[in-house]
Amino acid sequence: MKIFYAIQATGNGHISRAMQLYPYLQKYGTIDFFLSGNNTSLDIKLPVKYKSKGCSLHYSKCGGLDYWDIVKNIKPRQIYKDAESLPLKDYDIIINDFDSITSLACKMQNVNSVQLGHQASFISTHTPRPEKKSLMGEMILKHYAPSRKNIGLHFEKYDSFILPPIIKDEIIASEPTNLKHITVYLPSFDKDCLEKAFNSIPGIQFHWFLNTVEQTHKIGNITYFPVNQKKFNKSLITCEGIITGGGFETPSEALYLGKKVLSIPIRNHYEQECNAAALKKLGVPVVYEVGDDFNTIIENWIDLDLIYPKMQANNIPETLEYLFDTYKD
């Protein structure tokens, strides 16, 4: 069987999920990956056969999206050409993790696909949303990468087609400990937006993962790390808690390990606002604006006695069996 797998590379989560699924998918046949976007900072250990600049995210300095940069870097003519050139009819199955180019190619070539991933869960009206819904945000979630069939992943089973998050094997096999440091992964924040707050709490050790760091080094109470999956996994497994955005994969793994989570969703990023609403239902503290009191917020969060519901891990063989059966129907 020939499998085409499209990955939306607007962050590291989609790629991390694909790398976890890859050895399981190999049991079904050969896989060619399509990488759309250029926001990832991971070492991609996948057979990527096709690439496109697609639509990538651009951030403002301290925790928001830069919509002007996003729009000016979109090339509609190139996107159309990229969709037209994908040889989808050469494949037995098309798996799409929220990529608009693949969805467009399926429509142009009259080929079916199945959307597998977190964004697919938002097809359901039962999936948590913030109190103030965004009409534009809802349109993007439902129409950016449409597919005839959907298998969603989320923190809880909000609907019949929504399954638990895919957790990396290394996380599942680990024995979590608490070495009292706080892991930080906030790719939408520049270094100088948060450094002062971390420095002002010298009694707390931070492991801060940044795209701009090339070598691990320590200054004061902050150890700066490059974005590296093995180093990040180790830090997460041994941390007291993690400060991260309103994404899906990182909070899922932290909650699976029983770690404290402080979520700071990217401003004006509707999917992250939806995830934040779901995390709040699980008892996770959410911060929407980082101000001069951020150090106090961190200290209060660490002092909280937080107990979260146990996060389930996805049964990958069962999910893939369901996916291939769903595709045949």
Side-chain angles (χ1 to χ4, degrees):
M1 180 182 290
K2 290 188 68 178
I3 302 165
F4 180 96
Y5 191 131
I7 311 171
Q8 172 60 263
T10 52
N12 293 326
H14 301 265
I15 292 169
S16 178
R17 177 161 55 242
M19 288 196 293
Q20 173 64 23
L21 288 173
Y22 178 46
Y24 294 88
L25 282 168
Q26 286 179 298
K27 298 173 184 177
Y28 290 87
T30 59
I31 307 100
D32 290 333
F33 287 90
F34 171 49
L35 198 64
S36 176
N38 57 6
N39 285 116
T40 183
S41 53
L42 288 180
D43 179 17
I44 304 170
K45 297 177 181 177
L46 295 168
V48 176
K49 188 169 183 178
Y50 313 99
K51 286 185 179 182
S52 170
K53 290 185 178 179
C55 177
S56 296
L57 297 182
H58 298 269
Y59 302 113
S60 59
K61 188 174 175 62
C62 293
L65 287 176
D66 188 330
Y67 282 101
W68 170 243
D69 262 6
I70 293 171
V71 171
K72 76 179 184 181
N73 282 285
I74 295 174
K75 310 295 182 186
R77 185 177 297 179
Q78 187 61 49
I79 286 173
Y80 185 87
K81 285 182 178 179
D82 291 345
E84 194 175 37
S85 68
L86 291 176
L88 297 186
K89 290 188 177 181
D90 293 347
Y91 293 89
D92 299 299
I93 182 169
I94 314 298
I95 301 172
N96 189 359
D97 190 350
F98 204 57
D99 171 52
S100 61
I101 295 176
T102 300
S103 287
L104 176 60
C106 287
K107 186 176 181 180
M108 292 166 63
Q109 300 174 35
N110 194 27
V111 173
N112 289 328
S113 68
V114 57
Q115 186 184 173
L116 170 67
H118 178 54
Q119 285 80 4
S121 68
F122 293 101
I123 299 299
S124 173
T125 57
H126 301 299
T127 302
R129 263 65 168 190
E131 290 183 10
K132 186 178 180 181
K133 287 186 179 181
S134 162
L135 180 60
M136 179 61 71
E138 289 290 330
M139 287 180 63
I140 291 171
L141 286 175
K142 291 180 180 177
H143 302 294
Y144 179 77
S147 182
R148 190 167 64 89
K149 296 182 178 178
N150 297 279
I151 300 174
L153 306 169
H154 216 308
F155 302 128
E156 295 188 293
K157 191 175 182 62
Y158 304 113
D159 213 321
S160 59
F161 67 95
I162 298 175
L163 303 175
I166 290 169
I167 307 295
K168 292 192 286 289
D169 287 340
E170 184 178 349
I171 299 295
I172 291 174
S174 70
E175 295 184 8
T177 57
N178 183 359
L179 299 183
K180 298 296 182 180
H181 63 265
I182 301 299
T183 302
V184 182
Y185 179 59
L186 291 164
S188 64
F189 282 85
D190 285 358
K191 183 178 173 183
D192 56 357
C193 298
L194 302 174
E195 200 168 40
K196 183 179 178 181
F198 296 157
N199 284 331
S200 69
I201 345 173
I204 299 172
Q205 295 294 314
F206 294 93
H207 287 189
W208 194 358
F209 289 80
L210 287 157
N211 293 330
T212 53
V213 172
E214 295 184 1
Q215 297 290 333
T216 302
H217 62 281
K218 184 175 181 181
I219 301 174
N221 64 326
I222 304 173
T223 304
Y224 299 88
F225 290 89
V227 177
N228 174 282
Q229 193 166 89
K230 280 199 170 296
K231 290 181 179 180
F232 179 78
N233 290 348
K234 183 178 179 181
S235 178
L236 180 62
I237 290 165
T238 58
C239 75
E240 181 169 358
I242 181 166
I243 303 173
T244 189
F248 175 60
E249 282 74 19
T250 298
S252 295
E253 293 184 336
L255 292 173
Y256 177 83
L257 291 167
K259 303 294 184 177
K260 287 184 175 182
V261 178
L262 181 63
S263 174
I264 310 175
I266 297 170
R267 286 194 312 276
N268 302 317
H269 189 307
Y270 186 62
E271 181 206 328
Q272 293 222 349
E273 292 174 6
C274 293
N275 292 340
L279 287 169
K280 285 173 76 173
K281 288 178 180 290
L282 296 175
V284 172
V286 175
V287 176
Y288 292 98
E289 292 288 341
V290 173
D292 294 338
D293 63 341
F294 188 48
N295 55 340
T296 304
I297 289 172
I298 294 171
E299 290 177 303
N300 291 340
W301 164 66
I302 291 173
D303 288 339
L304 287 173
D305 187 15
L306 297 171
I307 300 175
Y308 307 125
K310 177 64 177 174
M311 182 65 61
Q312 273 188 284
N314 190 287
N315 185 317
I316 295 175
E318 285 185 6
T319 293
L320 291 181
E321 185 177 345
Y322 172 56
L323 184 151
F324 284 99
D325 287 344
T326 298
Y327 199 82
K328 293 173 188 174
D329 295 340

